[in-house]
Amino acid sequence: MSEIVKLENVSKVFRRGGILRKESVWAVKNASLTIALGSRIAVVGESGSGKTTLARIITGFEKPSEGYVYWFGKRVDELPKKDFEKLREKIQYVHQDPYTSLNPVRTVYDTLADPLRKHGVDNVEEKVKELLRLVKITPPEYFFNKFPYHLSGGMRQRLAVARALTASPQLIVADEPISMVDMSLRVSVLDVLLGLNREVGLAVMMISHDIAAAYYFAREGGLLYVMYGGRIIECGPSEKVVSNPFHPYTRLLLLATPQHKRSFFQERISMMARYASAKSGAALGAGGGVDACPYVARCPFAAPECESPIELKEIEAGHYVACKRVDALPEWTPPPWYWFASKRDVA
Amino acid sequence: MSGAEVIVRDLNVVYLVREGTIKAASNVTLRVEPGSVTALVGESGSGKSTVVEAVTRTLPSNAKVLGGSVLFKGADLLKLSEEEYRQFRWREISYVPQAAQNSLNPLQTVFEHFAETHADVAGPIPRSELYEMAAKLLESVGLDAGVLRAYPHQLSGGMKQRILIALSFLFKPSLVVMDEPVSALDVVNQSLILGLISDLHRRYGTSILLVTHDLPVAGELADRIAVMYAGHLIEMGSNEEFFEEPLHPYSNGLVRSMIAFSTELSGVSSIPGEPPSLLNPPPGCRFHPRCPRAMDICREQEPPLLEAGGGRWVKCWLYGGKA
């Protein structure tokens, strides 16, 4: 079995409101994806796009309203409780906020040693050292007796990753692991997650609202998923999604990401304007029916057919897009500030 | 009305807390050139908000200014009485604080915010006149005049931030201070608002002091970049030169840790170690425990802010200076 997790047309609806008025919010709609052993996936989307709900469904914290979740080939809703708990350990979730996810009265050593003992590891101290080295908290002995408040945000987040590793998981799902970490330390967290994938062979899924960080994580061999309004609207090998994006929202997201050169600023803003219509004030997922393209209210290329059910279609090898107007879109050339665009010119 | 110069010189601010004194800004010297956009860059806890709160006289009550001056239009803002500073607030210096969206009064319409601010600063004016003024300002931030009748809860975060930016230009001040104006917004709104700030700057020629932790944002908008680390201002210079060749080892690390589509990702790396506690900052240069090029003198003596040529300044012993 080479799949750790498989989602089959998974949807999650939250109902809110009282007796008189009930409202259904589709946090995730019709998501299908496979997480293979040893794979690397980045999920990008703004707040409210459904990326956290997706992660919670994958890790078993949330039951889907529709569709099926498979862990190691077994349907999760049919698993006996004991098997569910056992398989769940293989799929670990790392919380966004390293300031609240660690127990403040436990030392670094105990944070890792307690769960290791629970999992019946013999050589606890050796294993703690190994895990700390793996997440680049070194020298390990120096940190044994430190408490979380002694550590920077980046280090706390790496400790949270190490704690997730105590269960010897096959998959780590890290939800916005860098959003609360200082910028000079963000790379250290991403590099630790990358190392777990590349060197240890673990499957790692990272969720982020920052498409540049998502690309950094998924580049060279990883997959990039773009979510909007509860839908996966584009996915594929990260290089393809970033250099040849199709969905107008993916293009908008790429163009909305600040680069650092003043000379390209005005050009970036005007390029971005092509993909966000004047109606850009429309809320996330506003307009259209449940099955319509969630971007229809904001999309400058929207047409009546965008109101009918959408699905992901393969547009080039492994690259899928859920857009009915692919043929109506302007041709895409990588923006001139892209590092690899300027490199191409040189070559 | 055009942009004014601000010179912060040897500013020292501490916070008195139960555990001791936090040296949040130590010997900070900073210049905002007239009519320029200056980005004050740093990580959380580096003291950038403390500096702008000193300039705008909005420091919290447990903060104490131990010394230094803030020169603006011939006055030292730190020496003015509250009453004297009122002549500057809004008219000459306006301030858009961090998470400003929450600073709108939920019980007042947008128009009432404009009316109250105007009445407070310059006395009331006829409703129709103010309405016209407010509508024009809102138009310049891409909002319809209809928004004037709205209450804050009817507006999105991006709209609220636009309103506060419009409000900060009500008296066409010569300095607008913005603390993280886009950090609470989604990327699309971030870019749109950065575009508006740039337009307003071009239209009015106002000096803008922009606080941000986001290096790409600073790079896109600023004429000059000033970097803070652990309460010290460690480098100041023109935008392009800064990114081309950051002088201070910390600036260099910061630029190299930047993840953007405009950078070569294979060269990205983080700065080892972590920022120090400002209750007990290390002696000498506060970056020396993390610095790959630290020398003996860096551990003992705080370097002065040295002129490095071409209008660039750096607080680092690598660039000379006498002990």
Side-chain angles (χ1 to χ4, degrees):
Chain A
M1 178 53 57
S2 66
E3 290 162 16
I4 303 171
V5 176
K6 192 168 122 186
L7 304 188
E8 226 174 57
N9 297 319
V10 161
S11 300
K12 178 75 189 179
V13 62
F14 291 106
R15 297 187 206 282
R16 60 182 181 197
I19 301 160
L20 296 175
R21 209 171 64 105
K22 268 210 173 30
E23 206 184 347
S24 296
V25 180
W26 292 87
V28 171
K29 184 77 184 148
N30 254 341
S32 296
L33 66 85
T34 310
I35 304 174
L37 277 172
S39 61
R40 176 153 43 93
I41 298 174
V43 180
V44 66
E46 56 193 284
S47 50
S49 64
K51 55 196 196 303
T52 293
T53 304
L54 187 79
R56 291 175 60 85
I57 290 171
I58 288 170
T59 48
F61 286 107
E62 211 70 79
K63 287 194 180 87
S65 315
E66 288 172 10
Y68 299 106
V69 182
Y70 298 83
W71 283 350
F72 302 96
K74 299 191 178 78
R75 242 174 77 177
V76 171
D77 57 319
E78 293 175 346
L79 283 174
K81 196 167 186 313
K82 235 175 80 189
D83 295 358
F84 175 82
E85 296 297 341
K86 220 169 128 191
L87 288 182
R88 182 186 207 169
E89 284 181 357
K90 300 291 158 205
I91 297 164
Q92 287 286 323
Y93 182 79
V94 177
H95 194 266
Q96 170 177 11
D97 183 355
Y99 292 87
T100 55
S101 67
L102 296 166
N103 189 335
V105 296
R106 269 197 207 171
T107 61
V108 168
Y109 184 83
D110 290 340
T111 299
L112 301 180
D114 287 355
L116 282 173
R117 276 188 216 108
K118 183 179 157 262
H119 291 116
V121 172
D122 300 331
N123 216 333
V124 171
E125 189 174 329
E126 269 317 299
K127 187 74 188 167
V128 169
K129 280 189 204 165
E130 188 193 321
L131 288 176
L132 287 175
R133 272 192 216 106
L134 208 52
V135 297
K136 308 278 187 290
I137 299 182
T138 53
E141 295 86 350
Y142 174 79
F143 288 97
F144 274 4
N145 294 317
K146 300 260 184 209
F147 288 94
Y149 68 84
H150 289 125
L151 309 179
S152 68
M155 226 180 248
R156 287 180 204 219
Q157 196 57 285
R158 285 180 275 140
L159 180 61
V161 171
R163 186 180 53 183
L165 294 174
T166 58
S168 322
Q170 301 273 12
L171 167 67
I172 298 264
V173 178
D175 189 0
E176 292 273 16
I178 56 165
S179 68
M180 302 193 68
V181 173
D182 263 328
M183 54 184 172
S184 74
L185 304 170
R186 287 184 174 184
V187 186
S188 70
V189 175
L190 293 177
D191 282 350
V192 159
L193 293 171
L194 263 170
L196 291 178
N197 175 259
R198 284 183 176 159
E199 283 140 42
V200 186
L202 285 185
V204 184
M205 178 185 243
M206 193 219 33
I207 293 168
S208 178
H209 64 277
D210 179 346
I211 196 168
Y215 176 64
Y216 179 85
F217 172 76
R219 74 192 198 281
E220 292 163 26
L223 297 170
L224 186 57
Y225 281 73
V226 184
M227 290 192 74
Y228 184 84
R231 297 271 191 169
I232 296 167
I233 51 118
E234 184 155 1
C235 62
S238 57
E239 271 74 17
K240 286 190 174 162
V241 175
V242 166
S243 62
N244 193 23
F246 278 93
H247 200 286
Y249 177 71
T250 310
R251 293 183 176 185
L252 178 73
L253 210 51
L254 287 165
L255 295 168
T257 303
Q259 42 87 40
H260 72 280
K261 290 175 182 159
R262 184 158 57 148
S263 50
F264 290 125
F265 176 59
Q266 291 300 337
E267 189 176 353
R268 180 171 80 74
I269 299 297
S270 55
M271 279 178 83
M272 192 183 103
R274 270 181 241 161
Y275 293 97
S277 72
K279 303 169 283 182
S280 69
L284 190 74
V290 172
D291 292 315
C293 173
Y295 194 56
V296 68
R298 287 171 79 183
C299 184
F301 309 100
E305 69 247 44
C306 302
E307 298 284 347
S308 56
I310 57 157
E311 56 181 311
L312 285 166
K313 288 211 169 83
E314 192 166 17
I315 205 142
E316 58 181 325
H319 183 181
Y320 295 82
V321 182
C323 176
K324 292 217 162 72
R325 301 279 291 158
V326 166
D327 296 328
L329 299 176
E331 202 184 322
W332 173 265
T333 43
W337 58 86
Y338 269 32
W339 161 254
F340 47 83
S342 62
K343 212 167 131 187
R344 192 170 304 156
D345 290 345
V346 175
Chain B
M1 186 265 352
S2 62
E5 183 183 40
V6 188
I7 299 175
V8 177
R9 191 166 281 155
D10 297 321
L11 178 70
N12 279 284
V13 181
V14 296
Y15 293 104
L16 307 173
V17 294
R18 204 179 40 191
E19 293 84 359
T21 53
I22 296 175
K23 290 102 190 155
S26 301
N27 306 322
V28 170
T29 293
L30 165 73
R31 176 164 177 258
V32 178
E33 292 186 355
S36 73
V37 178
T38 298
L40 187 57
V41 176
E43 302 182 71
S44 52
S46 62
K48 47 195 198 307
S49 291
T50 301
V51 171
V52 301
E53 284 170 6
V55 171
T56 54
R57 301 261 308 226
T58 50
L59 284 164
S61 55
N62 67 335
K64 204 165 157 22
V65 178
L66 297 182
S69 56
V70 178
L71 301 176
F72 178 83
K73 293 210 163 177
D76 180 352
L77 299 181
L78 298 180
K79 298 225 160 55
L80 299 180
S81 69
E82 194 49 37
E83 195 49 41
E84 287 166 327
Y85 187 77
R86 276 172 63 92
Q87 298 305 312
F88 287 93
R89 189 169 277 146
W90 292 102
R91 275 183 222 265
E92 291 288 352
I93 299 175
S94 65
Y95 175 44
V96 184
Q98 198 168 1
Q101 296 96 307
N102 307 327
S103 64
L104 290 171
N105 183 339
L107 301 176
Q108 286 186 339
T109 62
V110 172
F111 181 76
E112 282 164 348
H113 281 87
F114 278 89
E116 194 179 86
T117 307
H118 201 288
D120 242 30
V121 175
I125 56 166
R127 209 181 149 80
S128 59
E129 204 177 312
L130 183 67
Y131 187 89
E132 205 175 304
M133 218 155 117
K136 225 172 120 193
L137 277 170
L138 288 182
E139 196 199 321
S140 69
V141 294
L143 291 177
D144 190 85
V147 168
L148 285 168
R149 286 191 303 274
Y151 285 90
H153 75 268
Q154 296 169 296
L155 307 167
S156 70
M159 290 165 99
K160 284 187 232 179
Q161 190 63 299
R162 282 162 208 253
I163 286 161
L164 284 153
I165 290 169
L167 201 57
S168 72
F169 279 84
L170 181 61
F171 293 98
K172 313 282 183 291
S174 44
L175 171 69
V176 178
V177 179
M178 300 184 182
D179 194 350
E180 300 279 11
V182 297
S183 64
L185 305 168
D186 64 272
V187 282
V188 177
N189 258 311
Q190 275 190 6
S191 292
L192 294 173
I193 287 179
L194 292 174
L196 292 172
I197 294 173
S198 162
D199 290 347
L200 286 166
H201 175 250
R202 244 178 314 168
R203 184 181 312 178
Y204 296 118
T206 319
S207 303
I208 294 180
L209 179 55
L210 173 84
V211 175
T212 178
H213 69 281
D214 194 333
L215 220 46
V217 166
E220 287 193 326
L221 224 56
D223 301 299
R224 294 178 62 78
I225 301 215
V227 184
M228 287 196 73
Y229 178 77
H232 282 166
L233 191 128
I234 54 122
E235 180 164 355
M236 190 163 49
S238 86
N239 177 338
E240 280 75 13
E241 284 173 344
F242 173 80
F243 281 99
E244 191 70 32
E245 193 204 354
L247 296 176
H248 197 286
Y250 174 71
S251 312
N252 188 47
L254 208 54
V255 169
R256 283 167 50 90
S257 72
M258 185 170 68
I259 299 175
F261 291 112
S262 51
T263 54
E264 186 184 6
L265 294 181
S266 59
V268 173
S269 61
S270 62
I271 306 176
E274 52 191 295
S277 154
L278 294 183
L279 277 169
N280 271 312
C285 171
R286 289 184 180 173
F287 187 59
H288 85 251
R290 297 172 80 184
C291 184
R293 302 177 68 186
M295 306 174 288
D296 286 340
I297 191 170
C298 309
R299 299 181 185 94
E300 290 149 16
Q301 277 185 304
E302 182 181 323
L305 189 66
L306 297 160
E307 189 162 12
R312 302 185 73 182
W313 296 79
V314 59
K315 193 180 176 76
C316 175
W317 287 118
L318 286 172
Y319 297 88
K322 282 266 179 312

